[in-house]
Amino acid sequence: MIAKAEPREHMRRKRDAYWSDLVGGVTGRYKTEQVAGLLAGRDLPAGSAVVDVGAGTSALSKMVAELCGLQQIICVDYDEAIVRNGRAAETDPQVEWRAADARDLAAWTDRVGAVTFFDILHELYSFVGRSGDDPAVDHAAGRAAVEEALTAAASLLAPGGVIVITDDVLPEEEVSVRVACDREEIATLVRRIEREYRSRPLEIRWLDDRAFEIPSRTLITLLTHYNKPKAGDEARWAVEQMEVHEYMKVSEYDAFLRSVGLTPSVVVGTPDEALEEWRADFRIVDGLADFPAKRVAVVAVR
Ligand SMILES: C[S@@+](CC[C@H](N)C(=O)[O-])C[C@H]1O[C@@H](n2cnc3c(N)ncnc32)[C@H](O)[C@@H]1O
């Protein structure tokens, strides 16, 4: 169990856990395809820069710059070790690294063609949304942090510029779902996640040894996380149990981005590999017609 879920501990656990999978694994490939589809054929303000917030390896902002003909890339991360490594490895003089928090963008005076948030907003939600020693994320505080960062990003955009977001997504339907585990070991795994995951109460109600009821909003959280301990990836589970990946529904992205003067296009979906695994391990008995979608990609134009 996490005593105090704070960003420094999260950065330490993450250091070697999963960078390669984030960018090159199933999720990395899926989000690259989603974003490439949404950006295809768009003209962004000529000669402008892309700001990649929570840049990590910066592989995705380079793809955006190439797709949209943007010259300069400003990679931003609040983890100073990532910024140091990024700077040291960079050979392209058009790529600049800045150590900053996502919410610091409000103080910038740059005018840019794109601000990207590839799988960073859930971390902002998770860590700003916590206070003191409570491992559970306060939803209102987390959402306020996400909205602060998006508002700041919108104010940097030149006309025609875009905010690009990828992340996991809350289901639109708020229903109670009855789920059956395919076999005993999956039920055991669910009980383990229920015990160890303190970032959001999963609110599971067991009906018998293998069947349970769960709100749709935490079913997606369970489905997002259970496969790491299932695969024996304890290092990644140690990282992910500190995070809540789903903080907004599509309708909430849409309403919020419109309120800051942007016009969003959104795609949702689930990588085939994840869906196949869910179908092999669980059955939706009642409440939803199928498993909720896992991933969202948003391109919002000023
Ligand atoms: C899950 S990784 C995603 C990395 C990369 N964008 C990708 O998609 O491959 C999240 C990144 O966001 C950074 N990050 C988290 N919270 C941040 C914040 N408040 N301000 C700036 N960067 C943040 C982390 O250090 C990490 O590099």
Side-chain angles (χ1 to χ4, degrees), residues 14 18-19 22-23 31 54-56 60 77-79 82 100-102 118-120 122-124:
K14 195 158 68 167
Y18 69 122
W19 281 113
L22 262 177
V23 179
K31 68 190 185 192
L60 288 157
D77 208 289
Y78 78 163
D79 184 336
I82 286 178
D101 188 277
F118 294 122
D119 288 64
I120 175 221
H122 70 267
E123 293 195 12
L124 187 62

Side-chain angles (χ1 to χ4, degrees), residues 10 14 18 22 27 31 78 117-130 137 142-143 145-146 165-169 197 199-200 224-225 236 239-240 242-248 253 294-295:
H10 182 252
K14 195 158 68 167
Y18 69 122
L22 262 177
T27 304
K31 68 190 185 192
Y78 78 163
F117 296 91
F118 294 122
D119 288 64
I120 175 221
L121 290 174
H122 70 267
E123 293 195 12
L124 187 62
Y125 172 90
S126 301
F127 294 106
V128 180
R130 284 187 169 102
V137 177
R143 264 292 298 268
V146 169
I165 302 165
T166 63
D167 226 322
D168 286 346
V169 66
Y197 185 65
S199 299
R200 168 182 282 166
T224 294
H225 291 305
R236 186 153 175 185
V239 174
E240 289 207 350
M242 302 180 80
E243 304 170 2
V244 174
H245 282 217
E246 304 83 8
Y247 49 87
M248 255 156 123
Y253 279 113
K294 179 168 162 28
R295 300 285 309 169

Side-chain angles (χ1 to χ4, degrees), residues 255-277:
F256 182 75
L257 291 165
R258 286 182 195 280
S259 79
V260 292
L262 308 181
T263 305
S265 304
V266 183
V267 287
V268 291
T270 306
D272 289 343
E273 295 86 339
L275 201 51
E276 274 166 31
E277 186 172 24

Side-chain angles (χ1 to χ4, degrees), residues 65-81:
E66 200 166 307
L67 263 179
C68 300
L70 301 183
Q71 299 301 314
Q72 196 197 348
I73 302 175
I74 304 170
C75 295
V76 179
D77 208 289
Y78 78 163
D79 184 336
E80 285 167 12

Side-chain angles (χ1 to χ4, degrees), residues 52-108:
D52 186 6
V53 187
T57 64
S58 76
L60 288 157
S61 46
K62 288 180 176 158
M63 183 231 3
V64 171
E66 200 166 307
L67 263 179
C68 300
L70 301 183
Q71 299 301 314
Q72 196 197 348
I73 302 175
I74 304 170
C75 295
V76 179
D77 208 289
Y78 78 163
D79 184 336
E80 285 167 12
I82 286 178
V83 172
R84 257 196 322 275
N85 293 343
R87 225 177 246 149
E90 196 53 68
T91 51
D92 183 345
Q94 298 287 53
V95 181
E96 179 192 341
W97 281 85
R98 298 185 191 175
D101 188 277
R103 292 163 300 153
D104 296 344
L105 298 187
W108 291 21

